[in-house]
Amino acid sequence: MNYKLKKISGDASFREFYRLRKNKNTSIIVSAKKDKFKNLAVYAVVNNILNANKINAPKLLSNHYKNNMIEISDLGEKSFYDHIVSKKNKLKDYKSLIKLLTKVQKIKIKKVYKLDKFKIKIPKYTLSNLHKESDLFFDWYLKYFLKSKKISMIKRLLRTELNTVYKKLIYRNDTFVHRDFHVSNIMMNKNKLGLIDSQDAIIGNPLYDIASLIDDVRIKLPGKLQNDLLNFYHKNSKFKKEKIEKLKNDFDILSVQRNLKILGIFVRLFKRDNKDNYLRFLPYTWLLIEKRLENPAFKNLKILFYKYLPIKKLKKLSKI
């Protein structure tokens, strides 16, 4: 039997990926020396959960956890991003992703899952989690781009107001959330959609993943399409009998929270891990944040942002 092993492009985690060819068959070797419990064991368990609910995800083929790797099934080389990026009319294609998401959101989670010796629980999102993630903006992005002795004071003021904003979230943390649901984490193989990069799954707010999809920093969607997609989600979700303004409230709050986190993560990837390819997304991330700050829920936060942060300057500096 002929074996060929080829390294393939990875993601923002500590994992490395290799495509293993055995004659005409392929599989993926996932290697992780850092955070290997989450990146290997938890990843395998979440994939099992997805597959058990008839959602296409990588299947665990062989477990070599002691050697820092697992072997999973290959969902192909074409992501949904590759499929959609050059298309002019994206509505129909995005609707298929929202249908996939509504299916994901119907998953009922057990208290504990087992994988060999491990007992794994899917964590529940909390207010503390929201702050821990948006703190990345202050601790990495601002410290790099804003050379000021006032960063601690700015963080304290903005964090206090963010706490007020986060408490305005309407929906409970009771839904299976992929936590990184966007076009680059959805694969296409013979028009069959598959979901990858699922190790950060949580029980959280149902609007988190839809915000990840529509306000994705990797692909610029026209405002009308963004609104149409949120309306489509509204009509096809369990919230169809509720006013869309309630969904829009949580959508905007979680979009801002997530994109503040993304600004921090992408600078951390650059500074700590020498991965500079994510920096090109920073200016559009700012545009998304500014757009969502128009929501009245952010009235005081918006005032503080424009008082203490030179946003135009930061956006310009982000174009490095």
Side-chain angles (χ1 to χ4, degrees):
M1 184 176 286
N2 292 322
Y3 289 88
K4 288 184 180 180
L5 192 65
K6 182 181 179 181
K7 189 172 184 178
I8 56 178
S9 59
D11 52 23
S13 73
F14 290 116
R15 294 174 297 180
E16 293 183 341
F17 298 85
Y18 302 84
R19 179 166 278 110
L20 177 62
R21 294 191 180 275
K22 309 172 189 176
N23 292 334
K24 293 182 179 181
N25 299 316
T26 64
S27 61
I28 302 296
I29 303 297
V30 185
S31 172
K33 294 179 181 178
K34 292 184 179 181
D35 292 344
K36 74 172 188 174
F37 175 71
K38 183 180 76 171
N39 286 319
L40 300 180
V42 175
Y43 183 47
V45 164
V46 176
N47 284 335
N48 287 343
I49 294 170
L50 292 169
N51 280 303
N53 285 272
K54 298 182 180 179
I55 294 160
N56 189 27
K59 294 180 174 66
L60 182 64
L61 301 179
S62 59
N63 188 355
H64 310 279
Y65 186 84
K66 289 182 179 179
N67 295 316
N68 307 320
M69 66 181 72
I70 58 174
E71 181 186 12
I72 59 176
S73 59
D74 188 357
L75 298 190
E77 300 181 47
K78 184 178 181 181
S79 72
F80 200 87
Y81 176 88
D82 301 325
H83 167 75
I84 197 71
V85 65
S86 60
K87 276 196 168 188
K88 289 185 178 180
N89 188 350
K90 296 179 171 66
L91 180 60
K92 183 179 178 182
D93 293 279
Y94 266 90
K95 282 181 176 180
S96 67
L97 299 190
I98 291 175
K99 288 177 181 177
L100 172 64
L101 178 57
T102 55
K103 189 176 178 182
V104 169
Q105 293 189 338
K106 292 177 182 176
I107 294 175
K108 302 297 181 186
I109 294 296
K110 300 176 184 177
K111 288 185 177 180
V112 179
Y113 292 88
K114 292 183 180 180
L115 181 72
D116 294 341
K117 64 179 180 179
F118 297 116
K119 290 183 178 180
I120 295 169
K121 293 182 178 181
I122 305 300
K124 193 169 186 177
Y125 226 31
T126 64
L127 182 62
S128 176
N129 293 132
L130 291 171
H131 279 295
K132 185 178 179 180
E133 292 180 354
S134 53
D135 280 351
L136 293 168
F137 168 75
F138 304 107
D139 299 338
W140 286 92
Y141 181 91
L142 268 196
K143 283 186 178 180
Y144 181 68
F145 282 109
L146 188 63
K147 308 301 182 184
S148 170
K149 295 179 181 178
K150 296 181 180 180
I151 287 180
S152 295
M153 181 269 289
I154 292 171
K155 177 179 178 179
R156 186 175 66 254
L157 287 172
L158 293 179
R159 202 177 190 274
T160 299
E161 184 55 34
L162 278 170
N163 191 64
T164 301
V165 171
Y166 294 157
K167 288 181 178 179
K168 293 179 182 178
L169 288 167
I170 295 170
Y171 294 102
R172 294 182 299 166
N173 293 325
D174 60 1
T175 302
F176 184 92
V177 175
H178 178 274
R179 209 173 171 192
D180 212 11
F181 193 91
H182 57 73
V183 290
S184 296
N185 281 339
I186 298 163
M187 306 303 291
M188 291 190 72
N189 193 348
K190 297 177 182 177
N191 292 322
K192 186 177 182 181
L193 300 178
L195 194 52
I196 63 170
D197 204 16
S198 309
Q199 70 282 345
D200 291 322
I202 52 164
I203 307 302
N205 188 297
L207 275 300
Y208 190 95
D209 277 344
I210 195 68
S212 303
L213 178 65
I214 294 175
D215 279 3
D216 179 3
V217 301
R218 297 161 187 80
I219 189 162
K220 297 177 182 178
L221 300 181
K224 183 180 183 305
L225 178 56
Q226 291 177 320
N227 293 335
D228 289 345
L229 291 174
L230 185 59
N231 285 325
F232 182 78
Y233 171 76
H234 175 226
K235 292 174 182 176
N236 289 272
S237 70
K238 60 183 179 181
F239 309 109
K240 57 188 174 184
K241 293 182 179 179
E242 299 184 22
K243 290 184 177 180
I244 194 169
E245 286 76 16
K246 291 176 67 177
L247 277 73
K248 186 71 165 56
N249 175 80
D250 285 21
F251 176 96
D252 288 341
I253 292 173
L254 292 170
S255 175
V256 169
Q257 185 271 346
R258 176 175 168 79
N259 283 316
L260 288 173
K261 174 183 77 170
I262 283 174
L263 288 172
I265 287 175
F266 286 179
V267 170
R268 184 177 67 182
L269 286 167
F270 169 55
K271 292 288 290 179
R272 187 190 69 185
D273 305 330
N274 297 314
K275 296 179 179 180
D276 62 358
N277 55 311
Y278 292 94
L279 294 179
R280 68 186 190 274
F281 301 123
L282 298 183
Y284 184 59
T285 309
W286 268 118
L287 287 175
L288 288 170
I289 290 171
E290 285 187 290
K291 183 175 183 177
R292 301 308 169 196
L293 283 177
E294 294 302 317
N295 187 314
F298 296 111
K299 181 181 177 182
N300 293 332
L301 183 66
K302 185 180 177 182
I303 292 170
L304 291 172
F305 255 77
Y306 284 93
K307 181 177 180 179
Y308 292 104
L309 298 181
I311 290 181
K312 287 185 178 180
K313 181 181 177 182
L314 288 172
K315 283 167 66 178
K316 187 176 181 180
L317 288 172
S318 295
K319 296 177 181 179
I320 60 175

